[in-house]
Amino acid sequence: MLGLEDSGKLLSLLSSGDDRSFTDIVADFNSKFPLSVKFQVCCALDFLTADPKEKYLTPTQRLIAFAILDQANALPPSLNPFASKLMNVACDEEVEKYERAFAFDLLGSSSKPSGKEFLKITPADYIKNFDLSSHSFPKREHLQKQYSIKTHPERFKDLYVKNTIPDPDVPRGCDSNSSEFDEQPGGASKIGSGSRHEAVAGMLSSFSMEGLGPQWIRPLPPRLPIMDGELLWLNPDMNHELIWDNGMCADTSRGAAVRDLIAKALKGTLIPAQQEQVLVDFANDPKLVYHCGLTPKKLPDLVENNPMIAVEVLVKLVNSPDIADYIRVLVNMEMSLHSMEVLNRLTTTTGLPTEFLHTYISNCIRACQGIKDRYMQNRHVRLVCVFLQSLIRNNIINVHDIFIELQAFCIEFSRIREAAGLFRLLKTLE
């Protein structure tokens, strides 16, 4: 990153912290390094001070590096590219207290008139005279808001492998420049007493088996085709959804008599007294239709055996969310006199959607065309013609929507008197 000459200049500045003030060192830095080289030098200082546990620099040298990172650019914290570095130092619990206080003072020096007074002393004096009781350390969020410092996530943190390793001859966590490593008369030197095994273990613990980041998105490789006789691995989906039972803890005794009568009505015709009882119970409590045991699948049996009860039930269910299912079953059931009667009463009482009526009429016409027995065919055609005339005269259907289909039906069965009458009625409406 830096050449040999620039590295020598930088090392000379970092080593002058015992007898020169921060202000003199920063001024000397600005005079020795041109603008084109300053950023590279600051990046080198950022690297040397990245890990406080690594003893690349002495305490005074670290303070000088922080002062250069802040003062060399002459920019406010919001524009200084190394302001986030100083903020991290000020908020790092593992950093020495005097370093945190010094970083915090650097961030606030641009906003105070007398904020640079502490830079007029030497780094050694700053450490020597440091008083912890006169400093407070605000939280990271407060510093970000106060100095408008934008931090960016370290997405490319592991994009490189560090080219520096700890000295295996120095015990881990110790400073090789400390006086405790000086040779004592008659004593053995501590240099070389470190454990190489610990050094290698520390290096391996910083590596990751996942490789260098960031992890780029790669498409999944396609699966190989399954060969004949090969077992297919199944991964069943066990994410079952809970369904609330709305009938849980409900009063099952409610409408027991009506429920029994409806069960009988599905199997045969009720006597008039029983029919009257069902109709009276529904009139007294309309919500009994929800507890009578009737479902859309059972509706055809009720229509064929007891059409009057079927009409009453469907009228009570007109506001139910299941009414569409009941009507759909009704219009698609086999054509009969009772189904026509039920449908005709419903159209005059509550009204039915047009599409359901058109579906039922089309089903009736196809049913008449498919009957092979001539007598039964004539009988059903008469029923359909009477039913259609009733719908037309009561203005329940719009003839023009199905005019062609009805006209073809009348022409096909024109031999039947009711069909001819329906045809004449259609002609009057053209």
Side-chain angles (χ1 to χ4, degrees):
M1 183 180 294
L2 292 180
L4 182 60
E5 182 180 355
D6 292 335
S7 298
K9 294 179 182 178
L10 180 60
L11 183 58
S12 175
L13 288 175
L14 294 176
S15 303
S16 60
D18 293 336
D19 53 359
R20 300 183 64 189
S21 65
F22 291 107
T23 305
D24 294 339
I25 296 174
V26 172
D28 197 6
F29 172 83
N30 291 329
S31 63
K32 287 184 177 181
F33 293 98
L35 185 62
S36 58
V37 185
K38 280 186 178 181
F39 184 74
Q40 297 181 9
V41 178
C42 290
C43 289
L45 293 175
D46 181 34
F47 173 78
L48 292 173
T49 57
D51 190 355
K53 296 180 181 179
E54 302 291 346
K55 304 298 182 179
Y56 298 135
L57 300 177
T58 63
T60 56
Q61 289 175 340
R62 287 178 61 85
L63 295 186
I64 294 173
F66 296 148
I68 292 175
L69 291 177
D70 179 72
Q71 298 295 317
N73 297 282
L75 296 173
S78 59
L79 300 177
N80 190 343
F82 300 100
S84 59
K85 162 79 173 185
L86 298 176
M87 184 188 66
N88 292 335
V89 173
C91 300
D92 193 350
E93 297 288 344
E94 297 182 358
V95 176
E96 297 290 344
K97 300 297 183 181
Y98 58 82
E99 287 190 11
R100 296 182 60 187
F102 186 72
F104 179 69
D105 291 339
L106 289 174
L107 291 174
S109 62
S110 60
S111 59
K112 299 178 182 178
S114 60
K116 297 184 179 181
E117 292 296 328
F118 69 98
L119 295 177
K120 295 181 180 179
I121 62 176
T122 64
D125 291 339
Y126 184 90
I127 298 176
K128 181 180 179 181
N129 300 325
F130 175 73
D131 183 10
L132 179 60
S133 61
S134 61
H135 291 82
S136 60
F137 302 102
K139 294 184 179 180
R140 182 185 300 270
E141 294 78 9
H142 177 73
L143 292 178
Q144 287 179 340
K145 184 176 181 181
Q146 181 177 0
Y147 301 111
S148 303
I149 301 175
K150 296 182 180 180
T151 58
H152 303 282
E154 299 182 359
R155 298 181 180 178
F156 298 89
K157 179 178 180 181
D158 299 327
L159 194 58
Y160 63 91
V161 177
K162 293 178 65 175
N163 58 356
T164 59
I165 61 175
D167 188 354
D169 290 332
V170 178
R172 194 174 183 183
C174 297
D175 185 5
S176 60
N177 297 321
S178 176
S179 59
E180 63 176 325
F181 287 95
D182 295 342
E183 294 188 7
Q184 302 294 335
S189 174
K190 290 187 178 181
I191 298 294
S193 62
S195 173
R196 299 200 175 199
H197 177 73
E198 291 184 2
V200 174
M203 293 169 55
L204 293 178
S205 64
S206 63
F207 295 152
S208 173
M209 299 300 293
E210 298 179 357
L212 300 178
Q215 296 294 329
W216 303 106
I217 299 177
R218 299 179 177 87
L220 296 175
R223 294 194 303 175
L224 294 175
I226 300 175
M227 307 298 292
D228 293 339
E230 183 180 358
L231 294 177
L232 178 62
W233 186 268
L234 299 178
N235 294 310
D237 186 7
M238 303 301 291
N239 296 328
H240 300 295
E241 293 185 4
L242 298 177
I243 301 178
W244 183 258
D245 183 6
N246 294 312
M248 183 173 59
C249 301
D251 185 7
T252 56
S253 62
R254 183 181 183 185
V258 174
R259 191 159 48 248
D260 294 339
L261 290 176
I262 292 295
K264 294 180 180 178
L266 296 175
K267 300 177 181 179
T269 304
L270 298 179
I271 62 176
Q274 292 175 329
Q275 293 185 18
E276 184 66 21
Q277 181 181 351
V278 172
L279 298 179
V280 170
D281 289 341
F282 283 156
N284 295 332
D285 188 358
K287 292 185 178 180
L288 279 179
V289 294
Y290 299 104
H291 306 279
C292 66
L294 183 65
T295 62
K297 291 183 180 180
K298 299 178 181 179
L299 180 63
D301 294 334
L302 184 63
V303 170
E304 291 300 329
N305 295 317
N306 296 274
M308 293 301 298
I309 296 178
V311 171
E312 188 67 22
V313 170
L314 292 175
V315 170
K316 301 297 183 184
L317 290 172
V318 69
N319 295 322
S320 170
D322 299 327
I323 186 61
D325 296 333
Y326 283 98
I327 300 301
R328 191 176 294 108
V329 171
L330 177 63
V331 299
N332 287 289
M333 66 179 291
E334 186 178 352
M335 183 190 67
S336 64
L337 175 61
H338 287 169
S339 65
M340 289 184 186
E341 180 183 357
V342 171
L343 204 65
N344 189 33
R345 286 181 178 273
L346 284 178
T347 55
T348 56
T349 305
T350 61
L352 292 179
T354 306
E355 59 270 16
F356 286 118
L357 278 176
H358 290 175
T359 301
Y360 184 73
I361 293 172
S362 300
N363 292 341
C364 290
I365 292 175
R366 284 195 296 269
C368 292
Q369 294 171 344
I371 298 175
K372 303 300 182 182
D373 185 87
R374 191 66 172 265
Y375 172 77
M376 293 299 297
Q377 187 182 55
N378 293 344
R379 183 172 181 274
H380 282 80
V381 169
R382 292 190 185 97
L383 291 175
V384 173
C385 291
V386 173
F387 175 67
L388 292 174
Q389 289 179 17
S390 174
L391 295 179
I392 294 172
R393 288 194 175 95
N394 293 324
N395 294 323
I396 295 175
I397 62 172
N398 187 356
V399 178
H400 300 287
D401 294 338
I402 52 175
F403 183 83
I404 297 176
E405 188 175 7
L406 293 182
Q407 190 179 46
F409 172 74
C410 294
I411 294 174
E412 182 178 358
F413 298 102
S414 58
R415 68 181 185 278
I416 302 174
R417 182 179 59 187
E418 286 79 5
L422 177 61
F423 184 78
R424 289 191 296 270
L425 179 61
L426 294 176
K427 285 299 183 181
T428 61
L429 299 175
E430 280 189 308

